[in-house]
Amino acid sequence: MLANGIEMLKKAKAGHYAVGQFNINNLEWTKAILQVAEELKAPVILGVSEGAGKYMGGFATVAAMVAAMDKELKISVPVCTHLDHGTYEGAYKCVKAGFTSIMFDGSHYPIEENIWKTKELTHVAHNLGMSIEAEVGAIGGEEDGVIGMGECADPDECKKIADLGVDMLAAGIGNIHGKYPANWKGLSFETLAAVQAKTGEMPLVLHGGSGIPEDMIRKAITLGVSKINVNTECQLSFAEATRKYIEAGKDLEGKGFDPRKLLAPGVEAIKETVRQKIKLFGSDGKA
Ligand code: 13P
């Protein structure tokens, strides 16, 4: 059932769990995530970066695929189609394409520019029944060619953006997209607590959810994180399972080269990763 992110995040905030955002890259990813969300009765957010949207043939293609799959597979749990790290222009494209939610990432702009662009897009999104995520303080690492330095957000700037009425806020707390380096210092719980103290009931978003130790995830949820984004871990588990299949020569046996067979182990691996994350985040049984 397609939905925006407003209700699901309010419920997560009140229930002290986090909704998983799993980024999609193609049809297999989308189907795997929807099936596990339904199996575990968990609300779910499908994240689409601008690069992945382009790869899949454009945002309208993605919106149509998710809507059709949601219907054909009779998905009863709330499913949110959400732009991930959107530009100002990309956010408008997703509004037009029929997404249910957008993220506008203005974290690299001076705060005043981030404020006016977020304010305008919040107005547009809410008028159309969509939810909106904003960002303050860049997330570290690289995603789709955008390099962030992993700075911690300024809680006062977070309050200014939260006061615009956004539905969820991504605040940098030392988190990094992609694999965490061996010398990573961990999440800054001090920053997280300070941001939540300034922003009241605002559902906070933890990007770079792949590879964060489970105890840190649990602590982040107790301190106000209501949405956690995962992309790299699904990619790694898909790649590993696919490599094993090919290295074992299974694609050369019988009709093992049929894409439905070739991609099956990778799909199962994505499903298992999503299953584990949903249980860790505590969103199973919450739909
Ligand atoms: P990871 O790829 O590190 O899981 O991060 C995903 C993310 O934050 C998407 O916005």
Side-chain angles (χ1 to χ4, degrees):
M1 179 183 53
L2 291 185
N4 64 34
I6 299 174
E7 270 311 300
M8 63 171 84
L9 288 178
K10 273 192 188 152
K11 279 169 81 178
K13 182 93 217 167
H16 307 290
Y17 59 90
V19 175
Q21 171 185 311
F22 300 97
N23 285 50
I24 56 172
N25 293 285
N26 59 21
L27 180 143
E28 278 74 16
W29 243 261
T30 310
K31 191 170 148 198
I33 296 162
L34 290 183
Q35 285 177 329
V36 172
E38 183 67 23
E39 169 194 314
L40 296 180
K41 296 287 171 251
V44 75
I45 298 172
L46 301 178
V48 183
S49 68
E50 298 210 356
K54 197 169 162 197
Y55 173 78
M56 288 186 272
F59 292 130
T61 309
V62 177
M65 172 178 71
V66 175
M69 207 182 272
D70 177 73
K71 197 168 157 211
E72 295 266 9
L73 297 180
K74 299 187 172 51
I75 304 294
S76 64
V77 299
V79 174
C80 175
T81 42
H82 184 66
L83 172 64
D84 189 29
H85 292 286
T87 58
Y88 181 73
E89 296 76 19
Y92 274 105
K93 281 187 189 160
C94 286
V95 165
K96 243 177 104 180
F99 274 43
T100 64
S101 187
I102 49 173
M103 173 187 188
F104 168 61
D105 180 358
S107 60
H108 50 288
Y109 292 123
I111 186 67
E112 291 312 321
E113 187 171 354
N114 191 0
I115 288 174
W116 77 253
K117 286 184 168 161
T118 300
K119 187 174 177 183
E120 178 187 306
L121 286 164
T122 301
H123 187 71
V124 171
H126 286 170
N127 271 343
L128 292 167
M130 301 170 75
S131 47
I132 180 165
E133 173 180 346
E135 179 169 328
V136 179
I139 312 297
E142 185 266 340
E143 183 159 287
D144 269 345
V146 181
I147 315 268
M149 300 307 286
E151 73 210 45
C152 282
D154 172 347
D156 290 312
E157 290 189 356
C158 290
K159 177 168 169 44
K160 285 186 190 170
I161 296 280
D163 285 349
L164 301 174
V166 300
D167 305 297
M168 47 197 132
L169 179 69
I173 56 167
N175 39 334
I176 296 175
H177 287 126
K179 289 183 181 175
Y180 281 82
N183 62 352
W184 179 53
K185 292 191 180 67
L187 297 175
S188 169
F189 292 115
E190 251 177 43
T191 307
L192 177 55
V195 168
Q196 189 72 94
K198 289 270 179 185
T199 58
E201 285 304 297
M202 175 61 56
L204 301 177
V205 182
L206 181 62
H207 283 248
S210 296
I212 298 180
E214 294 193 356
D215 57 330
M216 284 194 202
I217 293 278
R218 288 196 192 95
K219 184 160 180 188
I221 294 172
T222 64
L223 290 171
V225 164
S226 308
K227 169 175 176 277
I228 303 179
N229 294 5
V230 175
N231 187 16
T232 303
E233 263 187 71
C234 290
Q235 296 185 345
L236 289 171
S237 51
F238 174 84
E240 190 189 347
T242 307
R243 179 161 35 76
K244 273 192 191 148
Y245 181 87
I246 292 177
E247 280 178 357
K250 295 207 173 142
D251 57 318
L252 302 173
E253 290 168 13
K255 289 265 277 173
F257 55 84
D258 180 326
R260 283 170 282 179
K261 293 205 167 88
L262 182 65
L263 299 178
V267 167
E268 281 312 310
I270 294 171
K271 282 182 155 182
E272 191 46 33
T273 302
V274 172
R275 216 173 264 129
Q276 285 171 13
K277 295 296 174 194
I278 285 177
K279 288 182 183 166
L280 173 63
F281 303 162
S283 59
D284 50 319
K286 303 296 194 315

